[in-house]
Amino acid sequence: LGPTITVGEILVEIMATTIGAGFLEPQSLTGPYPSGAPAIFIDQVARMGGAAGIIASVGNDDFGRLNVDRLRQDGVDISAIAISADWPTGSAFVRYRPDGARDFVFNIARSAAGQIGLTPAAKDLIGRAGHVHVMGTALSIPGAREVILHAIETVRARGGSVSFDPNLRKELLTDDGALESFNHVLGATDLLLPSDEELFTAAGLTDEAAAVASLLESGIGEIVLKRGEQGASFFGLDRPRIDCAAFAVAEVDPTGAGDCFGAAYLTCRRKGMAPDAALLHANAAGARNVTWLGPMEGVSTLAELTAFIAQAPRR
Ligand code: ADP
């Protein structure tokens, strides 16, 4: 029915190399790496051979070129990426705590990403799209929010579908508009891809079974719950639950796993695969991604996923 599209931040990511170190003193960092949750997601769709496009804005600088070149090379439609003459490409600095949690210093709203809007190229891409994937981080950008709501309405009116990865980041939940649009998007979602905390937030309930039941009853067709190294689970209305164990891999960098997971699941479903096969491929995409340093370095082709599934041990 037309390409999968997403809207939102394209960033460079710069990471602390030492676990536990903060940003209050000098330390060694690595990067820049192409990043931004929507960018990672759409790059993974394209690498699997899915038609894919992104509405975004980068600066007229090396950080922007690094990203746009990668997306173009991997087959993403970049026609709706605006190059801002006045604003630099956004960035994210990441540090890792000893318990595996991450802290981010984001520079999104006051970067080129803050300038995302409904340009003629964006309208054109929306007019051709068959599916809209909403990344929760993008809802913190007022301009992106408007484009997302317009894209959802337009694509649904044409019989297209919507997926939503809440991807909540405490650093980005700073204005009421983000929460309001969160609920609006949820009401239009066909496929929800939350972590457990995000499932509870979406449902307003803290029991997993009750939260899933309530969201399915509200009209969400499929929920795929991401559980990190515990794997993932599928839930659908009047369909049996499917659990899928994670693959046993040595994690190098967890950032980007959820984005690749969601992209692989959606792309498999859009290619006509059943939920169990799509879940297996999504688990493989998440697992492969965490074995690379850099959020977008571990994206996979379908052939790479197939080969990985055939030989990788499960947890
Ligand atoms: P997010 O990045 O959104 O927090 P998760 O950390 O749950 O999402 O990762 C998404 C998926 O990637 C998991 O459901 C799992 O399939 C895979 N994954 C993540 N971390 C690992 C890991 N350490 N080992 C194997 N698979 C992993």
Side-chain angles (χ1 to χ4, degrees), residues 102 165 167 195 225-229 231-232 246-247 249 251 254 256-259 261 282-283 286-287 290 315:
R102 284 166 287 174
D165 179 343
N167 204 14
S195 65
L225 188 59
K226 295 176 276 179
R227 304 180 196 273
E229 52 180 36
F247 289 94
V249 292
E251 183 179 289
D259 312 326
F261 176 100
N283 263 284
V290 302
R315 281 188 197 279

mmCIF file with all atom_site columns, all heavy atoms in Angstrom, residues 102 165 167 195 225-229 231-232 246-247 249 251 254 256-259 261 282-283 286-287 290 315, ligand 1:
data_model
loop_
_atom_site.group_PDB
_atom_site.id
_atom_site.type_symbol
_atom_site.label_atom_id
_atom_site.label_alt_id
_atom_site.label_comp_id
_atom_site.label_asym_id
_atom_site.label_entity_id
_atom_site.label_seq_id
_atom_site.pdbx_PDB_ins_code
_atom_site.Cartn_x
_atom_site.Cartn_y
_atom_site.Cartn_z
_atom_site.occupancy
_atom_site.B_iso_or_equiv
_atom_site.pdbx_formal_charge
_atom_site.auth_seq_id
_atom_site.auth_comp_id
_atom_site.auth_asym_id
_atom_site.auth_atom_id
_atom_site.pdbx_PDB_model_num
ATOM   1   N N   . ARG A 1 102 ? 20.572 4.034   31.380 1.00 0.00 ? 102 ARG A N   1
ATOM   2   C CA  . ARG A 1 102 ? 21.261 5.060   30.593 1.00 0.00 ? 102 ARG A CA  1
ATOM   3   C C   . ARG A 1 102 ? 20.764 6.449   30.961 1.00 0.00 ? 102 ARG A C   1
ATOM   4   O O   . ARG A 1 102 ? 19.581 6.614   31.261 1.00 0.00 ? 102 ARG A O   1
ATOM   5   C CB  . ARG A 1 102 ? 20.981 4.853   29.093 1.00 0.00 ? 102 ARG A CB  1
ATOM   6   C CG  . ARG A 1 102 ? 21.737 3.739   28.460 1.00 0.00 ? 102 ARG A CG  1
ATOM   7   C CD  . ARG A 1 102 ? 21.147 3.390   27.103 1.00 0.00 ? 102 ARG A CD  1
ATOM   8   N NE  . ARG A 1 102 ? 19.879 2.684   27.236 1.00 0.00 ? 102 ARG A NE  1
ATOM   9   C CZ  . ARG A 1 102 ? 19.095 2.370   26.225 1.00 0.00 ? 102 ARG A CZ  1
ATOM   10  N NH1 . ARG A 1 102 ? 19.410 2.709   24.997 1.00 0.00 ? 102 ARG A NH1 1
ATOM   11  N NH2 . ARG A 1 102 ? 17.957 1.710   26.423 1.00 0.00 ? 102 ARG A NH2 1
ATOM   12  N N   . ASP A 1 165 ? 5.806  3.197   19.067 1.00 0.00 ? 165 ASP A N   1
ATOM   13  C CA  . ASP A 1 165 ? 6.786  2.804   20.074 1.00 0.00 ? 165 ASP A CA  1
ATOM   14  C C   . ASP A 1 165 ? 6.892  3.965   21.052 1.00 0.00 ? 165 ASP A C   1
ATOM   15  O O   . ASP A 1 165 ? 7.455  5.007   20.713 1.00 0.00 ? 165 ASP A O   1
ATOM   16  C CB  . ASP A 1 165 ? 8.141  2.540   19.397 1.00 0.00 ? 165 ASP A CB  1
ATOM   17  C CG  . ASP A 1 165 ? 9.224  2.141   20.395 1.00 0.00 ? 165 ASP A CG  1
ATOM   18  O OD1 . ASP A 1 165 ? 9.043  2.364   21.615 1.00 0.00 ? 165 ASP A OD1 1
ATOM   19  O OD2 . ASP A 1 165 ? 10.259 1.618   19.961 1.00 0.00 ? 165 ASP A OD2 1
ATOM   20  N N   . ASN A 1 167 ? 8.690  4.659   23.608 1.00 0.00 ? 167 ASN A N   1
ATOM   21  C CA  . ASN A 1 167 ? 10.093 5.077   23.745 1.00 0.00 ? 167 ASN A CA  1
ATOM   22  C C   . ASN A 1 167 ? 10.242 6.263   24.697 1.00 0.00 ? 167 ASN A C   1
ATOM   23  O O   . ASN A 1 167 ? 10.895 7.254   24.347 1.00 0.00 ? 167 ASN A O   1
ATOM   24  C CB  . ASN A 1 167 ? 10.639 5.413   22.349 1.00 0.00 ? 167 ASN A CB  1
ATOM   25  C CG  . ASN A 1 167 ? 12.156 5.278   22.285 1.00 0.00 ? 167 ASN A CG  1
ATOM   26  O OD1 . ASN A 1 167 ? 12.768 4.703   23.176 1.00 0.00 ? 167 ASN A OD1 1
ATOM   27  N ND2 . ASN A 1 167 ? 12.755 5.814   21.248 1.00 0.00 ? 167 ASN A ND2 1
ATOM   28  N N   . SER A 1 195 ? 7.914  -1.186  26.086 1.00 0.00 ? 195 SER A N   1
ATOM   29  C CA  . SER A 1 195 ? 8.600  -1.941  27.135 1.00 0.00 ? 195 SER A CA  1
ATOM   30  C C   . SER A 1 195 ? 7.576  -2.092  28.270 1.00 0.00 ? 195 SER A C   1
ATOM   31  O O   . SER A 1 195 ? 6.474  -1.540  28.182 1.00 0.00 ? 195 SER A O   1
ATOM   32  C CB  . SER A 1 195 ? 9.822  -1.165  27.609 1.00 0.00 ? 195 SER A CB  1
ATOM   33  O OG  . SER A 1 195 ? 9.383  0.037   28.225 1.00 0.00 ? 195 SER A OG  1
ATOM   34  N N   . LEU A 1 225 ? 5.431  -6.792  23.344 1.00 0.00 ? 225 LEU A N   1
ATOM   35  C CA  . LEU A 1 225 ? 6.114  -6.298  24.539 1.00 0.00 ? 225 LEU A CA  1
ATOM   36  C C   . LEU A 1 225 ? 7.594  -6.647  24.468 1.00 0.00 ? 225 LEU A C   1
ATOM   37  O O   . LEU A 1 225 ? 7.950  -7.822  24.313 1.00 0.00 ? 225 LEU A O   1
ATOM   38  C CB  . LEU A 1 225 ? 5.449  -6.954  25.752 1.00 0.00 ? 225 LEU A CB  1
ATOM   39  C CG  . LEU A 1 225 ? 5.845  -6.489  27.137 1.00 0.00 ? 225 LEU A CG  1
ATOM   40  C CD1 . LEU A 1 225 ? 5.565  -5.004  27.314 1.00 0.00 ? 225 LEU A CD1 1
ATOM   41  C CD2 . LEU A 1 225 ? 5.052  -7.299  28.174 1.00 0.00 ? 225 LEU A CD2 1
ATOM   42  N N   . LYS A 1 226 ? 8.441  -5.633  24.614 1.00 0.00 ? 226 LYS A N   1
ATOM   43  C CA  . LYS A 1 226 ? 9.901  -5.838  24.560 1.00 0.00 ? 226 LYS A CA  1
ATOM   44  C C   . LYS A 1 226 ? 10.421 -6.022  25.973 1.00 0.00 ? 226 LYS A C   1
ATOM   45  O O   . LYS A 1 226 ? 10.115 -5.226  26.852 1.00 0.00 ? 226 LYS A O   1
ATOM   46  C CB  . LYS A 1 226 ? 10.570 -4.608  23.923 1.00 0.00 ? 226 LYS A CB  1
ATOM   47  C CG  . LYS A 1 226 ? 10.193 -4.396  22.481 1.00 0.00 ? 226 LYS A CG  1
ATOM   48  C CD  . LYS A 1 226 ? 10.801 -3.112  21.934 1.00 0.00 ? 226 LYS A CD  1
ATOM   49  C CE  . LYS A 1 226 ? 9.935  -1.913  22.271 1.00 0.00 ? 226 LYS A CE  1
ATOM   50  N NZ  . LYS A 1 226 ? 10.522 -0.643  21.776 1.00 0.00 ? 226 LYS A NZ  1
ATOM   51  N N   . ARG A 1 227 ? 11.219 -7.077  26.165 1.00 0.00 ? 227 ARG A N   1
ATOM   52  C CA  . ARG A 1 227 ? 11.719 -7.373  27.510 1.00 0.00 ? 227 ARG A CA  1
ATOM   53  C C   . ARG A 1 227 ? 13.242 -7.462  27.560 1.00 0.00 ? 227 ARG A C   1
ATOM   54  O O   . ARG A 1 227 ? 13.775 -8.274  28.331 1.00 0.00 ? 227 ARG A O   1
ATOM   55  C CB  . ARG A 1 227 ? 11.162 -8.711  27.980 1.00 0.00 ? 227 ARG A CB  1
ATOM   56  C CG  . ARG A 1 227 ? 9.654  -8.855  27.981 1.00 0.00 ? 227 ARG A CG  1
ATOM   57  C CD  . ARG A 1 227 ? 9.322  -10.259 28.474 1.00 0.00 ? 227 ARG A CD  1
ATOM   58  N NE  . ARG A 1 227 ? 7.970  -10.671 28.193 1.00 0.00 ? 227 ARG A NE  1
ATOM   59  C CZ  . ARG A 1 227 ? 6.935  -10.407 28.985 1.00 0.00 ? 227 ARG A CZ  1
ATOM   60  N NH1 . ARG A 1 227 ? 7.099  -9.726  30.077 1.00 0.00 ? 227 ARG A NH1 1
ATOM   61  N NH2 . ARG A 1 227 ? 5.734  -10.852 28.673 1.00 0.00 ? 227 ARG A NH2 1
ATOM   62  N N   . GLY A 1 228 ? 13.945 -6.717  26.741 1.00 0.00 ? 228 GLY A N   1
ATOM   63  C CA  . GLY A 1 228 ? 15.406 -6.721  26.792 1.00 0.00 ? 228 GLY A CA  1
ATOM   64  C C   . GLY A 1 228 ? 15.960 -8.122  26.644 1.00 0.00 ? 228 GLY A C   1
ATOM   65  O O   . GLY A 1 228 ? 15.558 -8.868  25.741 1.00 0.00 ? 228 GLY A O   1
ATOM   66  N N   . GLU A 1 229 ? 16.852 -8.527  27.536 1.00 0.00 ? 229 GLU A N   1
ATOM   67  C CA  . GLU A 1 229 ? 17.461 -9.860  27.390 1.00 0.00 ? 229 GLU A CA  1
ATOM   68  C C   . GLU A 1 229 ? 16.514 -10.983 27.803 1.00 0.00 ? 229 GLU A C   1
ATOM   69  O O   . GLU A 1 229 ? 16.887 -12.157 27.744 1.00 0.00 ? 229 GLU A O   1
ATOM   70  C CB  . GLU A 1 229 ? 18.813 -9.935  28.101 1.00 0.00 ? 229 GLU A CB  1
ATOM   71  C CG  . GLU A 1 229 ? 18.804 -9.490  29.514 1.00 0.00 ? 229 GLU A CG  1
ATOM   72  C CD  . GLU A 1 229 ? 20.197 -9.606  30.146 1.00 0.00 ? 229 GLU A CD  1
ATOM   73  O OE1 . GLU A 1 229 ? 21.203 -9.361  29.453 1.00 0.00 ? 229 GLU A OE1 1
ATOM   74  O OE2 . GLU A 1 229 ? 20.253 -9.942  31.328 1.00 0.00 ? 229 GLU A OE2 1
ATOM   75  N N   . GLY A 1 231 ? 13.762 -11.275 26.074 1.00 0.00 ? 231 GLY A N   1
ATOM   76  C CA  . GLY A 1 231 ? 13.050 -11.545 24.832 1.00 0.00 ? 231 GLY A CA  1
ATOM   77  C C   . GLY A 1 231 ? 11.825 -10.670 24.650 1.00 0.00 ? 231 GLY A C   1
ATOM   78  O O   . GLY A 1 231 ? 11.857 -9.493  24.983 1.00 0.00 ? 231 GLY A O   1
ATOM   79  N N   . ALA A 1 232 ? 10.722 -11.250 24.147 1.00 0.00 ? 232 ALA A N   1
ATOM   80  C CA  . ALA A 1 232 ? 9.546  -10.441 23.818 1.00 0.00 ? 232 ALA A CA  1
ATOM   81  C C   . ALA A 1 232 ? 8.301  -11.314 23.781 1.00 0.00 ? 232 ALA A C   1
ATOM   82  O O   . ALA A 1 232 ? 8.392  -12.540 23.672 1.00 0.00 ? 232 ALA A O   1
ATOM   83  C CB  . ALA A 1 232 ? 9.753  -9.770  22.460 1.00 0.00 ? 232 ALA A CB  1
ATOM   84  N N   . ALA A 1 246 ? 14.967 -14.505 24.178 1.00 0.00 ? 246 ALA A N   1
ATOM   85  C CA  . ALA A 1 246 ? 16.006 -13.718 23.501 1.00 0.00 ? 246 ALA A CA  1
ATOM   86  C C   . ALA A 1 246 ? 17.119 -14.647 23.022 1.00 0.00 ? 246 ALA A C   1
ATOM   87  O O   . ALA A 1 246 ? 17.279 -15.761 23.526 1.00 0.00 ? 246 ALA A O   1
ATOM   88  C CB  . ALA A 1 246 ? 16.576 -12.679 24.452 1.00 0.00 ? 246 ALA A CB  1
ATOM   89  N N   . PHE A 1 247 ? 17.857 -14.172 22.053 1.00 0.00 ? 247 PHE A N   1
ATOM   90  C CA  . PHE A 1 247 ? 19.060 -14.882 21.623 1.00 0.00 ? 247 PHE A CA  1
ATOM   91  C C   . PHE A 1 247 ? 20.186 -14.566 22.606 1.00 0.00 ? 247 PHE A C   1
ATOM   92  O O   . PHE A 1 247 ? 20.231 -13.460 23.166 1.00 0.00 ? 247 PHE A O   1
ATOM   93  C CB  . PHE A 1 247 ? 19.446 -14.453 20.201 1.00 0.00 ? 247 PHE A CB  1
ATOM   94  C CG  . PHE A 1 247 ? 18.488 -14.964 19.166 1.00 0.00 ? 247 PHE A CG  1
ATOM   95  C CD1 . PHE A 1 247 ? 17.419 -14.191 18.736 1.00 0.00 ? 247 PHE A CD1 1
ATOM   96  C CD2 . PHE A 1 247 ? 18.639 -16.242 18.636 1.00 0.00 ? 247 PHE A CD2 1
ATOM   97  C CE1 . PHE A 1 247 ? 16.519 -14.670 17.797 1.00 0.00 ? 247 PHE A CE1 1
ATOM   98  C CE2 . PHE A 1 247 ? 17.745 -16.730 17.690 1.00 0.00 ? 247 PHE A CE2 1
ATOM   99  C CZ  . PHE A 1 247 ? 16.680 -15.945 17.274 1.00 0.00 ? 247 PHE A CZ  1
ATOM   100 N N   . VAL A 1 249 ? 23.509 -13.377 23.275 1.00 0.00 ? 249 VAL A N   1
ATOM   101 C CA  . VAL A 1 249 ? 24.605 -12.634 22.635 1.00 0.00 ? 249 VAL A CA  1
ATOM   102 C C   . VAL A 1 249 ? 25.343 -11.837 23.709 1.00 0.00 ? 249 VAL A C   1
ATOM   103 O O   . VAL A 1 249 ? 24.823 -11.619 24.797 1.00 0.00 ? 249 VAL A O   1
ATOM   104 C CB  . VAL A 1 249 ? 24.080 -11.645 21.550 1.00 0.00 ? 249 VAL A CB  1
ATOM   105 C CG1 . VAL A 1 249 ? 23.510 -12.384 20.360 1.00 0.00 ? 249 VAL A CG1 1
ATOM   106 C CG2 . VAL A 1 249 ? 23.051 -10.675 22.130 1.00 0.00 ? 249 VAL A CG2 1
ATOM   107 N N   . GLU A 1 251 ? 26.270 -8.426  24.904 1.00 0.00 ? 251 GLU A N   1
ATOM   108 C CA  . GLU A 1 251 ? 25.831 -7.052  24.651 1.00 0.00 ? 251 GLU A CA  1
ATOM   109 C C   . GLU A 1 251 ? 27.008 -6.077  24.719 1.00 0.00 ? 251 GLU A C   1
ATOM   110 O O   . GLU A 1 251 ? 27.740 -6.065  25.682 1.00 0.00 ? 251 GLU A O   1
ATOM   111 C CB  . GLU A 1 251 ? 24.765 -6.676  25.688 1.00 0.00 ? 251 GLU A CB  1
ATOM   112 C CG  . GLU A 1 251 ? 24.185 -5.303  25.473 1.00 0.00 ? 251 GLU A CG  1
ATOM   113 C CD  . GLU A 1 251 ? 23.113 -4.959  26.492 1.00 0.00 ? 251 GLU A CD  1
ATOM   114 O OE1 . GLU A 1 251 ? 22.020 -5.539  26.429 1.00 0.00 ? 251 GLU A OE1 1
ATOM   115 O OE2 . GLU A 1 251 ? 23.384 -4.121  27.363 1.00 0.00 ? 251 GLU A OE2 1
ATOM   116 N N   . PRO A 1 254 ? 23.433 -1.281  24.222 1.00 0.00 ? 254 PRO A N   1
ATOM   117 C CA  . PRO A 1 254 ? 21.996 -1.576  24.122 1.00 0.00 ? 254 PRO A CA  1
ATOM   118 C C   . PRO A 1 254 ? 21.207 -0.569  23.286 1.00 0.00 ? 254 PRO A C   1
ATOM   119 O O   . PRO A 1 254 ? 20.081 -0.854  22.869 1.00 0.00 ? 254 PRO A O   1
ATOM   120 C CB  . PRO A 1 254 ? 21.528 -1.526  25.578 1.00 0.00 ? 254 PRO A CB  1
ATOM   121 C CG  . PRO A 1 254 ? 22.485 -0.594  26.253 1.00 0.00 ? 254 PRO A CG  1
ATOM   122 C CD  . PRO A 1 254 ? 23.808 -0.796  25.555 1.00 0.00 ? 254 PRO A CD  1
ATOM   123 N N   . GLY A 1 256 ? 19.383 1.375   20.571 1.00 0.00 ? 256 GLY A N   1
ATOM   124 C CA  . GLY A 1 256 ? 18.936 1.054   19.216 1.00 0.00 ? 256 GLY A CA  1
ATOM   125 C C   . GLY A 1 256 ? 18.265 -0.304  19.094 1.00 0.00 ? 256 GLY A C   1
ATOM   126 O O   . GLY A 1 256 ? 17.603 -0.583  18.093 1.00 0.00 ? 256 GLY A O   1
ATOM   127 N N   . ALA A 1 257 ? 18.394 -1.154  20.123 1.00 0.00 ? 257 ALA A N   1
ATOM   128 C CA  . ALA A 1 257 ? 17.809 -2.504  20.040 1.00 0.00 ? 257 ALA A CA  1
ATOM   129 C C   . ALA A 1 257 ? 16.300 -2.452  19.817 1.00 0.00 ? 257 ALA A C   1
ATOM   130 O O   . ALA A 1 257 ? 15.760 -3.131  18.941 1.00 0.00 ? 257 ALA A O   1
ATOM   131 C CB  . ALA A 1 257 ? 18.122 -3.305  21.298 1.00 0.00 ? 257 ALA A CB  1
ATOM   132 N N   . GLY A 1 258 ? 15.632 -1.622  20.612 1.00 0.00 ? 258 GLY A N   1
ATOM   133 C CA  . GLY A 1 258 ? 14.172 -1.548  20.512 1.00 0.00 ? 258 GLY A CA  1
ATOM   134 C C   . GLY A 1 258 ? 13.727 -1.008  19.162 1.00 0.00 ? 258 GLY A C   1
ATOM   135 O O   . GLY A 1 258 ? 12.695 -1.431  18.625 1.00 0.00 ? 258 GLY A O   1
ATOM   136 N N   . ASP A 1 259 ? 14.483 -0.072  18.619 1.00 0.00 ? 259 ASP A N   1
ATOM   137 C CA  . ASP A 1 259 ? 14.131 0.520   17.319 1.00 0.00 ? 259 ASP A CA  1
ATOM   138 C C   . ASP A 1 259 ? 14.263 -0.524  16.209 1.00 0.00 ? 259 ASP A C   1
ATOM   139 O O   . ASP A 1 259 ? 13.397 -0.642  15.341 1.00 0.00 ? 259 ASP A O   1
ATOM   140 C CB  . ASP A 1 259 ? 15.038 1.727   17.027 1.00 0.00 ? 259 ASP A CB  1
ATOM   141 C CG  . ASP A 1 259 ? 15.120 2.673   18.219 1.00 0.00 ? 259 ASP A CG  1
ATOM   142 O OD1 . ASP A 1 259 ? 14.103 2.799   18.931 1.00 0.00 ? 259 ASP A OD1 1
ATOM   143 O OD2 . ASP A 1 259 ? 16.191 3.265   18.444 1.00 0.00 ? 259 ASP A OD2 1
ATOM   144 N N   . PHE A 1 261 ? 14.251 -3.782  16.659 1.00 0.00 ? 261 PHE A N   1
ATOM   145 C CA  . PHE A 1 261 ? 13.247 -4.800  16.959 1.00 0.00 ? 261 PHE A CA  1
ATOM   146 C C   . PHE A 1 261 ? 11.901 -4.407  16.325 1.00 0.00 ? 261 PHE A C   1
ATOM   147 O O   . PHE A 1 261 ? 11.275 -5.188  15.604 1.00 0.00 ? 261 PHE A O   1
ATOM   148 C CB  . PHE A 1 261 ? 13.106 -4.939  18.486 1.00 0.00 ? 261 PHE A CB  1
ATOM   149 C CG  . PHE A 1 261 ? 12.042 -5.892  18.934 1.00 0.00 ? 261 PHE A CG  1
ATOM   150 C CD1 . PHE A 1 261 ? 12.376 -7.174  19.344 1.00 0.00 ? 261 PHE A CD1 1
ATOM   151 C CD2 . PHE A 1 261 ? 10.703 -5.510  18.970 1.00 0.00 ? 261 PHE A CD2 1
ATOM   152 C CE1 . PHE A 1 261 ? 11.391 -8.062  19.763 1.00 0.00 ? 261 PHE A CE1 1
ATOM   153 C CE2 . PHE A 1 261 ? 9.713  -6.389  19.377 1.00 0.00 ? 261 PHE A CE2 1
ATOM   154 C CZ  . PHE A 1 261 ? 10.061 -7.668  19.776 1.00 0.00 ? 261 PHE A CZ  1
ATOM   155 N N   . ALA A 1 282 ? 12.230 -10.203 14.837 1.00 0.00 ? 282 ALA A N   1
ATOM   156 C CA  . ALA A 1 282 ? 12.420 -8.984  15.629 1.00 0.00 ? 282 ALA A CA  1
ATOM   157 C C   . ALA A 1 282 ? 13.412 -9.235  16.762 1.00 0.00 ? 282 ALA A C   1
ATOM   158 O O   . ALA A 1 282 ? 14.306 -8.419  17.018 1.00 0.00 ? 282 ALA A O   1
ATOM   159 C CB  . ALA A 1 282 ? 11.076 -8.511  16.178 1.00 0.00 ? 282 ALA A CB  1
ATOM   160 N N   . ASN A 1 283 ? 13.281 -10.362 17.427 1.00 0.00 ? 283 ASN A N   1
ATOM   161 C CA  . ASN A 1 283 ? 14.234 -10.731 18.484 1.00 0.00 ? 283 ASN A CA  1
ATOM   162 C C   . ASN A 1 283 ? 15.647 -10.809 17.931 1.00 0.00 ? 283 ASN A C   1
ATOM   163 O O   . ASN A 1 283 ? 16.606 -10.390 18.579 1.00 0.00 ? 283 ASN A O   1
ATOM   164 C CB  . ASN A 1 283 ? 13.868 -12.098 19.076 1.00 0.00 ? 283 ASN A CB  1
ATOM   165 C CG  . ASN A 1 283 ? 13.067 -11.970 20.348 1.00 0.00 ? 283 ASN A CG  1
ATOM   166 O OD1 . ASN A 1 283 ? 13.595 -11.654 21.392 1.00 0.00 ? 283 ASN A OD1 1
ATOM   167 N ND2 . ASN A 1 283 ? 11.778 -12.199 20.240 1.00 0.00 ? 283 ASN A ND2 1
ATOM   168 N N   . GLY A 1 286 ? 16.968 -7.254  17.301 1.00 0.00 ? 286 GLY A N   1
ATOM   169 C CA  . GLY A 1 286 ? 17.364 -6.602  18.554 1.00 0.00 ? 286 GLY A CA  1
ATOM   170 C C   . GLY A 1 286 ? 18.679 -7.163  19.061 1.00 0.00 ? 286 GLY A C   1
ATOM   171 O O   . GLY A 1 286 ? 19.580 -6.425  19.470 1.00 0.00 ? 286 GLY A O   1
ATOM   172 N N   . ALA A 1 287 ? 18.797 -8.492  19.028 1.00 0.00 ? 287 ALA A N   1
ATOM   173 C CA  . ALA A 1 287 ? 20.003 -9.152  19.536 1.00 0.00 ? 287 ALA A CA  1
ATOM   174 C C   . ALA A 1 287 ? 21.230 -8.775  18.701 1.00 0.00 ? 287 ALA A C   1
ATOM   175 O O   . ALA A 1 287 ? 22.298 -8.471  19.243 1.00 0.00 ? 287 ALA A O   1
ATOM   176 C CB  . ALA A 1 287 ? 19.812 -10.665 19.529 1.00 0.00 ? 287 ALA A CB  1
ATOM   177 N N   . VAL A 1 290 ? 22.553 -5.156  19.498 1.00 0.00 ? 290 VAL A N   1
ATOM   178 C CA  . VAL A 1 290 ? 23.287 -4.863  20.746 1.00 0.00 ? 290 VAL A CA  1
ATOM   179 C C   . VAL A 1 290 ? 24.732 -5.364  20.712 1.00 0.00 ? 290 VAL A C   1
ATOM   180 O O   . VAL A 1 290 ? 25.517 -5.043  21.591 1.00 0.00 ? 290 VAL A O   1
ATOM   181 C CB  . VAL A 1 290 ? 22.583 -5.421  22.010 1.00 0.00 ? 290 VAL A CB  1
ATOM   182 C CG1 . VAL A 1 290 ? 21.173 -4.865  22.136 1.00 0.00 ? 290 VAL A CG1 1
ATOM   183 C CG2 . VAL A 1 290 ? 22.583 -6.940  22.065 1.00 0.00 ? 290 VAL A CG2 1
ATOM   184 N N   . ARG A 1 315 ? 18.517 -17.895 24.842 1.00 0.00 ? 315 ARG A N   1
ATOM   185 C CA  . ARG A 1 315 ? 18.666 -17.854 26.298 1.00 0.00 ? 315 ARG A CA  1
ATOM   186 C C   . ARG A 1 315 ? 17.751 -18.873 26.964 1.00 0.00 ? 315 ARG A C   1
ATOM   187 O O   . ARG A 1 315 ? 16.643 -19.062 26.552 1.00 0.00 ? 315 ARG A O   1
ATOM   188 C CB  . ARG A 1 315 ? 18.317 -16.458 26.828 1.00 0.00 ? 315 ARG A CB  1
ATOM   189 C CG  . ARG A 1 315 ? 19.447 -15.485 26.631 1.00 0.00 ? 315 ARG A CG  1
ATOM   190 C CD  . ARG A 1 315 ? 19.172 -14.171 27.339 1.00 0.00 ? 315 ARG A CD  1
ATOM   191 N NE  . ARG A 1 315 ? 20.047 -13.143 26.822 1.00 0.00 ? 315 ARG A NE  1
ATOM   192 C CZ  . ARG A 1 315 ? 21.321 -12.972 27.205 1.00 0.00 ? 315 ARG A CZ  1
ATOM   193 N NH1 . ARG A 1 315 ? 21.846 -13.739 28.127 1.00 0.00 ? 315 ARG A NH1 1
ATOM   194 N NH2 . ARG A 1 315 ? 22.060 -12.026 26.665 1.00 0.00 ? 315 ARG A NH2 1
HETATM 195 P P1  . ADP B 2 .   ? 14.444 -0.820  24.126 1.00 0.00 ? 1   ADP B P1  1
HETATM 196 O O1  . ADP B 2 .   ? 15.729 -0.620  23.371 1.00 0.00 ? 1   ADP B O1  1
HETATM 197 O O2  . ADP B 2 .   ? 13.257 -0.195  23.483 1.00 0.00 ? 1   ADP B O2  1
HETATM 198 O O3  . ADP B 2 .   ? 14.569 -0.567  25.606 1.00 0.00 ? 1   ADP B O3  1
HETATM 199 P P2  . ADP B 2 .   ? 14.770 -3.653  24.675 1.00 0.00 ? 1   ADP B P2  1
HETATM 200 O O4  . ADP B 2 .   ? 15.979 -3.337  25.470 1.00 0.00 ? 1   ADP B O4  1
HETATM 201 O O5  . ADP B 2 .   ? 13.683 -4.423  25.331 1.00 0.00 ? 1   ADP B O5  1
HETATM 202 O O6  . ADP B 2 .   ? 14.121 -2.375  23.984 1.00 0.00 ? 1   ADP B O6  1
HETATM 203 O O7  . ADP B 2 .   ? 15.283 -4.467  23.407 1.00 0.00 ? 1   ADP B O7  1
HETATM 204 C C1  . ADP B 2 .   ? 14.424 -4.795  22.350 1.00 0.00 ? 1   ADP B C1  1
HETATM 205 C C2  . ADP B 2 .   ? 14.610 -6.228  21.951 1.00 0.00 ? 1   ADP B C2  1
HETATM 206 O O8  . ADP B 2 .   ? 15.968 -6.450  21.545 1.00 0.00 ? 1   ADP B O8  1
HETATM 207 C C3  . ADP B 2 .   ? 14.358 -7.227  23.075 1.00 0.00 ? 1   ADP B C3  1
HETATM 208 O O9  . ADP B 2 .   ? 12.983 -7.535  23.162 1.00 0.00 ? 1   ADP B O9  1
HETATM 209 C C4  . ADP B 2 .   ? 15.211 -8.406  22.617 1.00 0.00 ? 1   ADP B C4  1
HETATM 210 O O10 . ADP B 2 .   ? 14.551 -9.140  21.622 1.00 0.00 ? 1   ADP B O10 1
HETATM 211 C C5  . ADP B 2 .   ? 16.413 -7.712  21.993 1.00 0.00 ? 1   ADP B C5  1
HETATM 212 N N1  . ADP B 2 .   ? 17.492 -7.510  22.976 1.00 0.00 ? 1   ADP B N1  1
HETATM 213 C C6  . ADP B 2 .   ? 17.761 -6.400  23.690 1.00 0.00 ? 1   ADP B C6  1
HETATM 214 N N2  . ADP B 2 .   ? 18.808 -6.580  24.514 1.00 0.00 ? 1   ADP B N2  1
HETATM 215 C C7  . ADP B 2 .   ? 19.230 -7.848  24.311 1.00 0.00 ? 1   ADP B C7  1
HETATM 216 C C8  . ADP B 2 .   ? 20.302 -8.663  24.842 1.00 0.00 ? 1   ADP B C8  1
HETATM 217 N N3  . ADP B 2 .   ? 21.148 -8.202  25.766 1.00 0.00 ? 1   ADP B N3  1
HETATM 218 N N4  . ADP B 2 .   ? 20.422 -9.930  24.380 1.00 0.00 ? 1   ADP B N4  1
HETATM 219 C C9  . ADP B 2 .   ? 19.598 -10.419 23.447 1.00 0.00 ? 1   ADP B C9  1
HETATM 220 N N5  . ADP B 2 .   ? 18.580 -9.715  22.907 1.00 0.00 ? 1   ADP B N5  1
HETATM 221 C C10 . ADP B 2 .   ? 18.392 -8.445  23.318 1.00 0.00 ? 1   ADP B C10 1
#
